Amino acid sequence: QVQLVESGGGLVQAGGSLRLSCAASGRTFSSYGMAWFRQAPEKEREFVVGISRSGSRTRYADSVKGRFTISRDNTKNTVYLQMNSLKPGDTAAYYCAASALNTGLTTLRYDYWGQGTQVTVSS
């Protein structure tokens, strides 16, 4: 069992930055591929970025490439999402997810989810 707790969301002006954190419980954090998804009101949950178990491989959605950076610290059981040059279109609830398989674009691949943290970008 893995529990995920996100933090770091908030209200920021366009062009600003936020850093999200996702703290995982359990001793097997390094066994999971991790990802961030987001969901805006009345829209489906969408993949943002994923990172492999070791952190050596990452995959970004085209919409955030060059602006967002994912990283993980397996000694702290934590995955991070640094978000720069934020746009109003980035406004959404952001969810951390863990997969016992390699990360992928679909929510079905993920075994555990956090409760989400809200990011609001004002214009």
Side-chain angles (χ1 to χ4, degrees):
Q1 190 77 6
V2 176
Q3 291 186 325
L4 304 173
V5 179
E6 302 98 334
S7 61
L11 173 64
V12 64
Q13 289 187 334
S17 299
L18 282 175
R19 188 194 196 201
L20 306 184
S21 298
C22 173
S25 65
R27 296 174 292 178
T28 58
F29 177 70
S30 61
S31 299
Y32 290 88
M34 301 297 296
W36 289 93
F37 283 74
R38 67 186 181 186
Q39 188 167 19
E42 301 182 358
K43 292 189 176 181
E44 292 188 355
R45 192 167 296 189
E46 65 173 0
F47 174 85
V48 176
V49 58
I51 189 167
S52 62
R53 296 176 183 86
S54 66
S56 61
R57 290 178 287 113
T58 57
R59 182 177 185 177
Y60 292 85
D62 288 344
S63 59
V64 305
K65 279 181 182 176
R67 301 188 298 121
F68 289 13
T69 304
I70 190 171
S71 60
R72 66 187 295 165
D73 186 338
N74 287 344
T75 66
K76 296 182 179 179
N77 284 11
T78 303
V79 62
Y80 304 97
L81 181 63
Q82 178 66 44
M83 304 186 295
N84 298 328
S85 301
L86 283 161
K87 305 175 181 179
D90 295 318
T91 295
Y94 282 71
Y95 296 89
C96 174
S99 173
L101 304 173
N102 292 328
T103 58
L105 302 180
T106 173
T107 59
L108 297 176
R109 186 175 284 271
Y110 295 86
D111 306 288
Y112 302 101
W113 292 85
Q115 82 290 349
T117 186
Q118 179 67 35
V119 171
T120 302
V121 184
S122 63
S123 58

